[in-house]
Amino acid sequence: PVLDRLIERACANNLSLQIAGVRIVQARAQLNKAIGSLFPQQQALSGSVDYTRLNDNASRLPGFTPNFTTDQVLFAASWEIDLWGKYRRSIESDEAALLANVASYDDALVTLVADVATTYVNLRTTEQRIRVADSNIVNFRESLRVASARFHAGETSLRDVQQATTVLAQTEAAI
């Protein structure tokens, strides 16, 4: 669970992974734009409404009102037939770019997860080695005490005491 939380945090806060994700979104947008090129494109849409009031002399004509409105809406569209495959090749290229960006994201994700997991395992291994070394120090101190006592009793030489001292010092230095 600790490693899972560390990986989640690393994925959420890793700038390289976020950049790779944004590149996927960008490639997807470019692909959608290329796909849209296959369809008619709207060029312009405009409209206007005019209000006109004629002078009072014109209003005396039977069946004629002095006020009237006109409106007009204009729309233009263009469409280029993809006769030579220009737009289809562009779509294929953008699909390949999208897949490449997805692969880059996957690569960044796998690398990040592997780095976090390796670092976590190394940390736990080092902690365990320190615990083992701490327990060894206790044992080596006892060995040094026994060797010193035997030396003072005349049962061993000074060499045994020096060896016990050296092993103890090396273990302490390793920590």
Side-chain angles (χ1 to χ4, degrees), residues 64-92:
F64 189 78
T65 61
N67 300 327
F68 67 92
T69 59
T70 61
D71 54 17
Q72 178 180 21
V73 175
L74 302 173
F75 177 77
S78 66
W79 185 34
E80 181 179 342
I81 297 175
D82 193 19
L83 195 60
W84 306 110
K86 169 185 169 185
Y87 296 118
R88 289 187 301 266
R89 296 301 90 69
S90 176
I91 290 171
E92 289 172 1

